[in-house]
């Protein structure tokens, strides 16, 4: 196993070089930042899985869930099961998924394998068993904490174009050849894996706790991904549009677009200001509009995924 990991590290190094040697300095810095944040997310995920979910026999979706089932059925270490499944999947799908996705997935798998091994080695009971940090009969609290950490970790991985392998790979392959969404494939895989946990102890409580875990992981994941991209959009109707536009640009640094419109009832021409800003700047914009024109009509809406200068950079796998 050690030789195989060493060989894959060398293989990953060569793939990484081929995928990044032509990048500019700015692009290289961005890639390195992505990898550091992917590693941080995987550390968070592996701690939540190996330190909180695994000791309480709480099933999880994806390859981690399969590794958990194998561990409690045979005692085989979770990191080895996780590593071997992903090694087989990546070997079989390398030509289908391409270099970039494969490099990031191999990186994620190697970091996850190391972190889960290290977590279990450090937090081990006196008899060598897995340590239950929260004490006995605290399965629900472990479920909440562990699932939240897994969701947070996955969120960090996904917003930086990373992958933890497993069902991500399966979903990517199916999505490429069939008109089935990634989310639907992953949900189907996770449902099957969690339901299979019933056969370990013939306990439906474990299955239900597994679905609670999936629910928490999914919602925390969505919160992380959406909050990282959340911005607001303003439409401002005012006779003093020029003064408002000047102050918005001066005090927030955001651009303003003037749209010509016509009031249908009055048939008068109006100027409408459209502004895209970070959510944290909403209060500033409202205050300056009120200072200039208390009678102004303002519409605010939340938008997800604003890309361009001053906002998120466009990232395409």
């Amino acid at each position: 196993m050690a030789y195989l990991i060493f060989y894959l590290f060398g293989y990953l190094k060569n793939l990484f070089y081929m995928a990044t040697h032509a990048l500019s300095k700015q692009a290289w810095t961005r890639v390195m930042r992505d990898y550091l944040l992917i590693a941080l997310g995987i550390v968070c995920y592996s701690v939540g899985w190996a330190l909180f979910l695994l000791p309480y026999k709480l099933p999880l979706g994806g390859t981690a869930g399969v590794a958990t089932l194998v561990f409690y059925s045979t005692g085989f270490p979770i990191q080895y099961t996780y590593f071997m499944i992903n090694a087989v999947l990546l070997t079989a799908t390398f030509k289908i998924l391409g270099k970039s996705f494969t490099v990031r997935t191999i990186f994620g798998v190697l970091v996850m394998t190391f972190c889960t091994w290290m977590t279990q080695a450090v937090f081990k009971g006196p008899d060598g068993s897995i340590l239950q940090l929260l004490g006995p009969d605290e399965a629900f609290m472990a479920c909440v904490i562990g699932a939240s950490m897994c969701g947070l970790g996955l969120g960090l991985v996904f917003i930086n174009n990373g992958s933890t392998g497993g069902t991500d790979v399966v979903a990517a392959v199916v999505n490429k050849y069939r008109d089935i969404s990634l989310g639907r494939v992953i949900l189907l895989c996770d449902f099957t894996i969690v339901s299979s946990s019933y056969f370990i102890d013939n306990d439906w409580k474990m299955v239900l706790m597994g679905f609670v875990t999936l629910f928490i992981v999914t919602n925390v994941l969505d919160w992380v991904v959406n909050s990282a991209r959340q911005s607001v959009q303003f439409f401002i109707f005012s006779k003093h549009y020029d003064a408002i536009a000047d102050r918005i640009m001066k005090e927030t640094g955001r651009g303003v677009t003037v749209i010509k419109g016509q009031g249908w009832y009055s048939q008068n021409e109006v100027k409408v200001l459209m502004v895209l800003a970070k959510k944290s700047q909403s209060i500033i914009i409202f205050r300056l509009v009120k200072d200039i024109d208390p009678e102004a009509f303002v519409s605010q809406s939340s938008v997800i995924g604003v890309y361009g200068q001053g906002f998120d950079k466009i990232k395409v796998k």
Side-chain angles (χ1 to χ4, degrees):
M1 178 61 69
Y3 174 78
L4 182 58
I5 293 176
F6 177 78
Y7 173 79
L8 280 175
F9 263 116
Y11 182 66
L12 176 63
K13 180 181 177 181
N14 292 333
L15 281 177
F16 184 77
Y17 173 77
M18 289 188 292
T20 61
H21 76 283
L23 295 178
S24 64
K25 183 178 180 180
Q26 182 181 8
W28 176 264
T29 301
R30 186 166 62 244
V31 168
M32 294 307 296
R33 173 185 172 275
D34 284 349
Y35 275 91
L36 287 174
L37 290 175
I38 289 171
L40 178 62
I42 289 175
V43 169
C44 184
Y45 182 93
S46 61
V47 170
W49 173 30
L51 204 56
F52 290 97
L53 300 180
L54 186 68
Y56 293 90
K57 293 188 176 182
L58 297 174
L60 190 62
T63 312
V66 176
T68 301
L69 296 179
V70 171
F71 174 76
Y72 278 111
S73 300
T74 65
F76 193 69
I78 57 172
Q79 62 269 22
Y80 296 150
T81 302
Y82 176 85
F83 179 82
M84 288 189 294
I85 293 175
N86 280 290
V88 172
L89 286 174
L90 289 171
T91 301
T93 60
F94 170 70
K95 292 184 178 180
I96 299 175
L97 299 177
K99 293 179 183 178
S100 180
F101 182 84
T102 303
V103 168
R104 290 175 182 253
T105 304
I106 291 176
F107 174 78
V109 169
L110 292 176
V111 174
M112 179 79 80
T113 302
F114 174 78
C115 288
T116 50
W117 168 77
M118 180 61 71
T119 302
Q120 294 176 91
V122 173
F123 296 93
K124 186 180 293 185
D127 58 349
S129 61
I130 303 176
L131 185 65
Q132 293 184 339
L133 287 183
L134 303 179
D137 302 322
E138 292 291 346
F140 183 75
M141 185 58 66
C143 169
V144 173
I145 296 174
S148 298
M149 293 187 69
C150 288
L152 175 61
L154 286 176
L156 288 174
V157 171
F158 289 162
I159 63 177
N160 290 284
N161 294 329
S163 171
T164 57
T167 51
D168 293 355
V169 177
V170 176
V173 173
V174 172
N175 179 254
K176 188 167 184 175
Y177 294 102
R178 294 287 185 272
D179 187 21
I180 304 176
S181 68
L182 294 173
R184 185 176 299 179
V185 177
I186 293 175
L187 180 62
L188 180 61
C189 293
D190 290 346
F191 179 85
T192 303
I193 293 168
V194 171
S195 299
S196 299
S197 64
Y198 171 78
F199 300 104
I200 295 179
D201 292 328
N202 294 327
D203 186 4
W204 282 108
K205 180 180 178 182
M206 179 183 292
V207 178
L208 293 176
M209 291 291 284
F211 288 126
V212 172
T213 300
L214 287 181
F215 177 80
I216 297 174
V217 169
T218 302
N219 280 274
V220 174
L221 169 61
D222 288 343
W223 175 77
V224 173
V225 172
N226 292 335
S227 63
R229 299 174 179 172
Q230 193 168 32
S231 301
V232 290
Q233 179 176 267
F234 288 93
F235 285 105
I236 304 171
F237 301 77
S238 172
K239 295 179 181 178
H240 306 285
Y241 67 90
D242 49 351
I244 294 173
D246 288 340
R247 284 196 60 184
I248 289 176
M249 293 185 65
K250 183 178 179 180
E251 297 185 20
T252 68
R254 295 299 173 189
V256 181
T257 300
V258 180
I259 303 173
K260 292 183 179 181
Q262 183 178 17
W264 191 252
Y265 177 76
S266 64
Q267 296 296 309
N268 294 329
E269 184 177 293
V270 295
K271 298 292 181 62
V272 183
L273 302 181
M274 185 185 77
V275 184
L276 287 168
K278 293 293 186 181
K279 190 175 182 180
S280 58
Q281 297 175 313
S282 299
I283 298 299
I284 299 174
I285 293 175
F286 273 118
R287 285 175 178 171
L288 66 85
V289 170
K290 185 178 179 181
D291 289 343
I292 297 172
D293 184 6
E295 303 299 323
F297 182 84
V298 182
S299 170
Q300 177 190 347
S301 58
S302 296
V303 292
I304 298 174
V306 179
Y307 302 94
Q309 186 174 0
F311 292 89
D312 293 335
K313 294 184 181 297
I314 298 176
K315 297 180 180 180
V316 181
K317 291 186 179 180

